[in-house]
Amino acid sequence: MELTSAGDTFLILIAALLSLPLLLAVCWSQPAPTTLGYIAILCLFSSSTWGQLQEENTLYARGTGMFYFSLVNILLWIAVAAAGTRQLMANLQAKLPSPFNYFLVAFSFLLLAHVVLGLMAGKDIPLILGYNGLINLLNSVLFSWLLLSTLTTEKNQQTLIKLLLGLAAVRAVFGLIRYQWFDGDSANPYRNFESLDIKLVYFDICDNYIAALAAFCLAWLLLMPSVRMKLWQRFFIAGWLILEVATVALSFRRSSLIGLGLMLLVLIVQLPWQRRFLLIAISTLALMGASATLMRERLQFNVNNPESGFISSLLYDVGPDRATQANRFYELEAAARSLDGNWLFGLGSWGSFYGDEDILDYHFGKFDFVHSGFGHVILKSGLLGLTLFLALLVVFTINYLKHRKYFSGCSSLLADAGFAGLLFWMPTLLIGTPIIEFRTMLLLGMTLALPYLPLVRSANCKPQYFPRYAIA
């Protein structure tokens, strides 16, 4: 049996090595379809298994047993290598009008330093570069760079928008049908772990993000004065918008609903003042309905006093009157205590914190991550790593605010969707686990790339006028 297993492993390894040149050739010759196909994978396949009674391997875990990294992660590296090689061989300008080159160098140096220090401390390479470390920070920036390197034409970028909207519609219809007639998502920790009589559309925050991003784009198309549509098209998009909002609302994720509310702020700011009141009125009614549904279906089970207000119910696990045994932030407090004396550089990408195992039973004995993206970066790489990560987000924000007034049409939609998408991710970065999730970090990377796509196109077309002109 052992010989057979060893033989199978050897054959798989040989097949992988033989397929490498073919994959490189495909990625090199078809850069835009490769990137769009990768985005389709991220949109169609869920990654979260938390909440399932029987945990299953997802697409994003395939290959980790043999190669230590997942096959989709290796495909990302191959696509990036092909795009970089193609640029060099075609004698294209290597420097993109974005900061991602600099952050690629910074995060690569950070990981290299962790590898050196980890080896000196007797840690294994797979542990140092494991997914519960910092590797996904690099993956996220690599994916941003890949989008900017391959989706350089207006046609590519319009295809990207259509692809995102089309796949979001597929996911919304599938999720809502499953919710209505097939008991909802099987990854349901509220029912499976907390014994709450509740079903939901999608627990995976990425599926919520895809629906929220589509809802933002559809609302943008409906409300922007520059968009001309026939009446039947407006009714169709309005119905589609309702499906996307329902997907988020019926997933009962607090971070998703707050994120969707934050996305609306971008649309309100960009609309003419006459239409702002219409959007505020409609969105207020929609959010009130979503909040009432959230309260009735989920939050009513998590409060000591059934007559508690919505805010108290929403924050049922925070504060002195919480309805849970431990404060939501006990985990972060324990991680902070474990960082004593290591605040500047952290505990290393292989590091773990220590806390009460009974209170932290949902960790199942593994304390190498925390429920905060920012907190996780501090735990692993200290204030130095957090400064780099925050710098990436700050530079992104400055770029959006600086260039948004020069955009129009498709470019405006891309830029607004990117900035709104970052706002959606903020609650998850504060209280979720995005850094250890490959799919989440790549979708965050896509979000960060969106406002730069028009700049890449303009730099390729009319560098002498960049950036002071409107991009259609």
Side-chain angles (χ1 to χ4, degrees), residues 99 103 107 384-398 452:
F103 285 103
F107 286 124
L384 175 63
L386 179 64
T387 300
L388 284 175
F389 186 46
L390 289 178
L392 174 63
L393 304 184
V394 169
V395 170
F396 166 89
T397 303
I398 292 173
Y452 290 100

Side-chain angles (χ1 to χ4, degrees), residues 403-442:
H403 294 113
R404 173 58 179 86
K405 58 187 175 182
Y406 300 114
F407 295 158
S408 64
C410 175
S411 299
S412 300
L413 177 55
L414 284 169
D416 290 342
F419 189 67
L422 178 61
L423 294 183
F424 176 92
W425 286 120
M426 290 309 296
T428 302
L429 286 169
L430 288 170
I431 61 172
T433 58
I435 307 298
I436 66 173
E437 299 167 2
F438 178 80
R439 184 191 186 202
T440 301
M441 290 304 289
L442 261 64

Side-chain angles (χ1 to χ4, degrees), residues 1-12:
M1 180 67 71
E2 292 182 0
L3 289 175
T4 302
S5 178
D8 292 343
T9 301
F10 179 75
L11 290 175
I12 294 174

Side-chain angles (χ1 to χ4, degrees), residues 133-455:
L134 297 172
I135 188 69
N136 282 330
L137 284 178
L138 181 62
N139 283 332
S140 180
V141 179
L142 281 172
F143 195 57
S144 298
W145 184 90
L146 181 65
L147 262 69
L148 298 185
S149 300
T150 56
L151 305 182
T152 57
T153 67
E154 183 178 4
K155 182 179 180 181
N156 293 155
Q157 294 166 16
Q158 290 178 348
T159 301
L160 171 63
I161 295 175
K162 294 175 182 177
L163 178 69
L164 289 172
L165 290 175
L167 295 178
V170 171
R171 292 295 287 172
V173 171
F174 169 77
L176 291 170
I177 289 176
R178 185 177 60 173
Y179 174 85
Q180 182 65 34
W181 289 290
F182 300 98
D183 211 26
D185 194 350
S186 60
N188 186 346
Y190 312 127
R191 179 177 58 195
N192 296 335
F193 296 161
E194 301 176 24
S195 301
L196 304 181
D197 185 18
I198 181 176
K199 59 182 180 178
L200 44 84
V201 179
Y202 290 115
F203 181 75
D204 193 332
I205 191 67
C206 295
D207 290 309
N208 284 254
Y209 166 73
I210 291 165
L213 184 66
F216 176 86
C217 294
L218 293 168
W220 193 97
L221 292 171
L222 274 176
L223 294 171
M224 280 296 171
S226 58
V227 179
R228 299 286 185 264
M229 286 187 291
K230 296 179 180 178
L231 185 61
W232 71 267
Q233 292 173 320
R234 292 190 176 275
F235 277 112
F236 176 77
I237 290 182
W240 188 354
L241 173 61
I242 292 172
L243 286 180
E244 301 297 348
V245 173
T247 299
V248 178
L250 296 176
S251 294
F252 305 116
R253 297 293 303 270
R254 291 177 292 177
S255 55
S256 298
L257 285 173
I258 294 172
L260 184 60
L262 293 175
M263 294 178 86
L264 281 174
L265 297 178
V266 178
L267 197 55
I268 290 172
V269 170
Q270 295 298 337
L271 283 174
W273 69 269
Q274 300 94 331
R275 301 198 177 198
R276 291 179 185 176
F277 297 106
L278 175 63
L279 176 61
I280 291 172
I282 295 175
S283 59
T284 299
L285 291 174
L287 288 175
M288 287 176 60
S291 300
T293 304
L294 177 67
M295 181 67 186
R296 184 182 70 251
E297 297 294 333
R298 179 189 169 192
L299 297 182
Q300 64 164 325
F301 299 107
N302 297 110
V303 293
N304 292 321
N305 181 6
E307 298 182 359
S308 298
F310 176 74
I311 299 299
S312 298
S313 303
L314 186 68
L315 304 177
Y316 68 88
D317 50 359
V318 177
D321 298 326
R322 62 183 180 272
T324 56
Q325 178 185 359
N327 192 304
R328 168 93 183 191
F329 301 116
Y330 167 77
E331 179 186 33
L332 297 180
E333 295 170 3
R337 287 193 297 269
S338 301
L339 273 168
D340 185 33
N342 296 286
W343 281 94
L344 184 57
F345 299 109
L347 301 179
S349 58
W350 60 90
S352 297
F353 73 97
Y354 303 95
D356 189 309
E357 295 193 14
D358 292 330
I359 296 177
L360 299 171
D361 56 353
Y362 54 90
H363 271 260
F364 297 102
K366 294 183 65 178
F367 302 109
D368 54 355
F369 70 95
V370 294
H371 283 77
S372 169
F374 297 129
H376 183 85
V377 174
I378 295 177
L379 177 70
K380 301 293 184 174
S381 58
L383 295 176
L384 175 63
L386 179 64
T387 300
L388 284 175
F389 186 46
L390 289 178
L392 174 63
L393 304 184
V394 169
V395 170
F396 166 89
T397 303
I398 292 173
N399 169 80
Y400 170 78
L401 296 176
K402 178 181 178 181
H403 294 113
R404 173 58 179 86
K405 58 187 175 182
Y406 300 114
F407 295 158
S408 64
C410 175
S411 299
S412 300
L413 177 55
L414 284 169
D416 290 342
F419 189 67
L422 178 61
L423 294 183
F424 176 92
W425 286 120
M426 290 309 296
T428 302
L429 286 169
L430 288 170
I431 61 172
T433 58
I435 307 298
I436 66 173
E437 299 167 2
F438 178 80
R439 184 191 186 202
T440 301
M441 290 304 289
L442 261 64
L443 287 175
L444 175 60
M446 182 189 75
T447 301
L448 296 179
L450 291 179
Y452 290 100
L453 287 173
L455 302 182

Side-chain angles (χ1 to χ4, degrees), residues 107-137:
F107 286 124
S108 297
F109 180 80
L110 181 66
L111 279 176
L112 179 61
H114 279 236
V115 169
V116 173
L117 294 174
L119 292 175
M120 292 173 61
K123 305 298 181 181
D124 296 329
I125 287 288
L127 177 61
I128 299 171
L129 297 180
Y131 287 112
N132 280 10
L134 297 172
I135 188 69
N136 282 330
L137 284 178

